Amino acid sequence: MTDCGVVLNEEHHVYVSPDFNTLQGVTGILHKHLFPQMYAGVSEEVLKAAAERGTRVHKQCEDFDNGNREIVSDEVFNYAGICFEHDLHHEASEYIVTDGEHFASAIDKVYRVSDDEFILADIKTTATLNRDYVRWQLSIYADWFERQNKGAKVVALCAIWLRGDKCKFEAVNRVESEDVAELLRCEIEGKEYTHKELA
């Protein structure tokens, strides 16, 4: 797979291009245009704790994929079971994709299906799984992934939900590339995205 050259500055959580331009991540775009009420009424304290838990679980799963087979939590146990049950072959974690100009983000998991076919997955640890959010998030990533890796085909988009001893593995349908392009165009031009159909 192609390295786009974009790096994540973890201290400030910004993406930086090879020519030192700051690129915008996907999360803010989705919350602004499609899911503005997603965390309405949730305190900063709760959000911070949730973010820390999510970071910890992501790291544990990445360690597992990198060969550390020690089961350190319920989430890792369930993640290992999901990978086995669905025959997922880990190719990369936190794989950065970009449109090459304005945006960049890291895909939680890339799994290889064949020489040119891949599954993209996002790990969620939220109280409930927002499938529409994951669908849009991964659809954007899929467009950039295929553009970045010539000849590659994303054959499935999946949400992996890990919450204590509970888990889900769910495929989500891909948003049409035209809708993805329109959303990103509205963000670039400072316009409101009006196509509100999420399902």
Side-chain angles (χ1 to χ4, degrees):
M1 296 188 315
T2 302
D3 183 345
C4 66
V6 173
V7 296
L8 173 62
N9 181 320
E10 293 193 18
E11 182 181 353
H12 300 289
H13 200 75
V14 295
Y15 294 92
V16 182
S17 71
D19 54 0
F20 302 105
N21 286 324
T22 300
L23 305 177
Q24 184 180 352
V26 166
T27 301
I29 299 170
L30 295 179
H31 284 284
K32 175 181 175 182
H33 293 277
L34 295 172
F35 304 95
Q37 300 300 314
M38 189 166 171
Y39 296 126
V42 181
S43 70
E44 286 296 322
E45 184 179 0
V46 170
L47 288 175
K48 181 180 179 183
E52 290 172 352
R53 181 178 61 250
T55 298
R56 182 179 68 252
V57 171
H58 278 74
K59 180 65 168 60
Q60 291 172 349
C61 292
E62 186 172 351
D63 287 346
F64 176 85
D65 283 327
N66 287 334
N68 181 355
R69 292 301 189 249
E70 182 182 2
I71 301 300
V72 296
S73 66
D74 287 337
E75 287 88 354
V76 173
F77 178 81
N78 287 328
Y79 176 70
I82 285 170
C83 290
F84 178 78
E85 180 181 352
H86 297 278
D87 196 28
L88 300 175
H89 300 277
H90 177 257
E91 181 71 18
S93 296
E94 301 300 325
Y95 177 70
I96 297 178
V97 287
T98 178
D99 72 333
E101 187 174 2
H102 301 282
F103 310 108
S105 278
I107 305 171
D108 283 351
K109 298 294 176 187
V110 179
Y111 303 107
R112 183 179 288 275
V113 177
S114 67
D115 285 347
D116 57 358
E117 295 178 317
F118 299 87
I119 294 170
L120 307 185
D122 197 81
I123 293 175
K124 296 298 185 192
T125 60
T126 47
T128 58
L129 176 62
N130 187 327
R131 295 165 187 82
D132 284 330
Y133 184 95
V134 176
R135 177 174 179 252
W136 273 92
Q137 181 182 19
L138 288 177
S139 295
I140 294 170
Y141 296 169
D143 281 2
W144 294 345
F145 182 91
E146 291 175 343
R147 193 181 315 161
Q148 193 166 301
N149 295 281
K150 301 304 180 186
K153 177 65 177 173
V154 175
V155 296
L157 305 176
C158 301
I160 298 174
W161 181 72
L162 305 170
R163 182 81 174 181
D165 62 354
K166 299 179 177 65
C167 66
K168 292 179 186 176
F169 178 83
E170 293 194 14
V172 294
N173 294 326
R174 188 167 172 175
V175 177
E176 294 291 338
S177 293
E178 293 80 5
D179 292 326
V180 168
E182 176 64 12
L183 172 66
L184 297 178
R185 184 187 67 80
C186 288
E187 175 63 19
I188 292 167
E189 296 179 0
K191 297 179 180 178
E192 180 183 0
Y193 180 69
T194 56
H195 183 78
K196 298 299 184 183
E197 180 61 44
L198 301 181

